[in-house]
């Protein structure tokens, strides 16, 4: 179990792995005390290297200054927009880049003989995983691995995790499905298990994406933080 | 040694006060290339010194210094003076990129040589040294004596070595999970000794 507040120092000196970093950044959004501490420790860290002074070669200066003439400075983030984004988080393609914690590799269609019993009344994750039209997207995050599987014919999605670190105390991993209109529906909470195979709640037939956020115990009606995992489904 | 908090003044090695740097960033954000060149001249020795220390390889260090300044040019408008000083913002960008580079290349020779070589002379160009730098460096050296040996070593391995807290724990024979605490405690002591405030 991680004491999430204690990660502030390691965060400031970039000593967290990618998973911990995204967990801590999700936590920062909701913890003013950690935000203040991070700000102060960041100033402290900047002073730490004050004895390291090395003038770069002049050709580097030339190359850097020549380069900027071909680059357009980005516009400021308008406060309204930033606030809106924080309150009502939407999964846009750019956020997948922003999260920058994962490389999603589409593995393509998996063909496995249907081992499930066609008469089976209760749907299980296995039905999704072993469906002929199962579409799988694998995500790796610094040692942790997840595969998200969706079968249009079964109408559901499932997730398989391996070596997934537990969420911070008082928090839970929540699953989400994204509809074609961009809206997000909760697909259930994940038990605190490193390795598990789980059926996502809700109809996934037309979902265009699936993801996981870190939420307060009990879950949230809508995500309150950026996803630690997000995959696009086709 | 002294643990009197010393008010932070002009950022060391930049030869420019915080407000002047913030002004240069604001002008850069509007596409002012001359302002950006001034910002570069005021800060490049600090940025390159840190990057050289983390990466060590001169050619790769130059590449990363270039990436850092290009990122600064593109994202100058995102600098928020309420969130911290321009130098802290800049050094954060520089450190993150340097660490990303060493972790990505994961050159085995660095992994082996760096630990034994952590007491090697740091990049340090006498001709570039300014009076403020010497003063600031002395202040930091003094503040560092307030840390326990473990705090100091953990902090230096993480910040200058670019190692994760798990790697630091392994290097210092600490139980996993305690290195991050040492790093944080060390930074907090340093903050208090330096009298750093926002
Ligand atoms: Zn906190």
């Amino acid at each position: 179990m991680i004491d999430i507040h204690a990660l502030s120092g390691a965060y400031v000196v970039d000593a967290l792995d990618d998973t911990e970093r995204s967990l801590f950044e999700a936590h920062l959004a909701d913890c003013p005390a950690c935000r203040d501490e991070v700000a102060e420790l960041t100033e402290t860290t900047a002073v730490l290297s004050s004895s390291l002074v090395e003038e770069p070669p002049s050709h580097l200066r030339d190359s850097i200054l020549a380069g900027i003439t071909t680059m357009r400075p980005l516009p400021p983030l308008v406060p309204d927009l930033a606030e809106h984004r924080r309150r009502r988080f939407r999964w846009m393609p750019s956020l997948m880049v922003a999260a920058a914690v994962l490389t999603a590799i589409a593995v393509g269609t998996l063909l496995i003989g249907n081992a499930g019993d066609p008469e089976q009344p209760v749907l299980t994750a296995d039905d999704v995983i072993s469906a002929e039209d199962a579409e799988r997207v694998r995500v790796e995050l610094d040692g942790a691995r997840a595969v998200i599987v969706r079968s249009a014919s079964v109408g559901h999605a499932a997730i398989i995790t391996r070596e997934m670190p537990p969420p911070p105390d008082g928090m839970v991993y929540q699953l989400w499905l994204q509809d074609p209109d961009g809206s997000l529906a909760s697909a259930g909470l994940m038990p605190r298990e490193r390795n598990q195979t789980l059926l996502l709640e809700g109809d996934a037939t037309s979902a265009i994406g699936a993801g996981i956020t870190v939420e307060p115990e009990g879950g949230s009606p809508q995500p309150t933080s950026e996803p630690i995992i997000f995959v696009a489904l086709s | 040694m002294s643990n009197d908090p010393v008010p932070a003044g002009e950022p060391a090695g930049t030869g420019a006060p915080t407000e002047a740097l913030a002004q240069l960033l604001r002008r850069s954000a509007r596409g002012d290339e001359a302002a950006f060149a001034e910002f570069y001249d005021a800060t490049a020795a600090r940025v390159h010194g840190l990057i050289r220390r983390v990466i060590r390889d001169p050619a790769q260090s130059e590449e990363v210094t270039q990436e850092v300044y290009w990122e600064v040019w593109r994202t100058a408008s995102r600098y928020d003076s309420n969130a911290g000083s321009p130098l802290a913002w800049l050094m954060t960008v520089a450190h993150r990129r340097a660490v990303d580079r060493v972790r990505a290349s994961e050159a085995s020779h660095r992994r082996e040589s760096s630990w034994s070589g952590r007491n090697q002379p740091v990049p340090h160009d006498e001709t570039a040294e300014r009076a403020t730098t010497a003063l600031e460096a002395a202040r930091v050296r003094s503040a560092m004596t307030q840390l326990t040996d473990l705090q100091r070593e953990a902090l230096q391995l993480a910040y200058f070595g670019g190692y994760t807290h798990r790697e630091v724990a392994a290097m210092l024979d600490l139980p996993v999970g305690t290195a991050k605490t040492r790093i944080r405690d060390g930074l907090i002591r340093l903050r208090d000794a330096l009298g750093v405030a926002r």
Side-chain angles (χ1 to χ4, degrees), chain B residues 61-81:
Chain B
S61 300
E62 286 181 28
E63 281 171 27
V64 171
T65 297
Q66 174 158 289
E67 287 170 10
V68 167
Y69 279 99
W70 283 349
E71 180 174 342
V72 167
W73 170 254
R74 285 187 299 100
T75 61
S77 66
R78 309 285 159 93
Y79 165 67
D80 173 9
S81 57

Side-chain angles (χ1 to χ4, degrees), chain A residues 72-90:
Chain A
R72 176 174 177 267
L74 294 171
L77 284 175
V78 184
D80 258 350
L81 202 72
E83 181 59 23
H84 176 77
R85 210 191 71 165
R86 196 177 329 136
R87 284 203 343 267
R88 285 196 30 201
F89 169 67
R90 293 165 301 154

Side-chain angles (χ1 to χ4, degrees), chain A residues 205-228:
Chain A
T205 313
S206 54
I208 59 166
I212 301 173
T213 61
V214 181
E215 300 294 334
E217 208 90 64
S220 307
Q222 283 293 300
T224 61
S225 62
E226 303 209 354
I228 56 164

Side-chain angles (χ1 to χ4, degrees), chain A residues 28 55 72 85 110 122 137 150 163 178 200 208 233:
Chain A
L28 271 183
E55 211 69 60
R72 176 174 177 267
R85 210 191 71 165
L110 177 82
V122 182
V137 183
R150 188 261 303 268
E163 297 308 321
Q178 185 168 34
L200 272 66
I208 59 166
L233 299 170

Side-chain angles (χ1 to χ4, degrees), chain A residues 10-21:
Chain A
Y11 173 75
V12 164
V13 295
D14 298 314
L16 298 180
D17 62 41
D18 290 341
T19 312
E20 294 167 323
R21 186 194 289 181

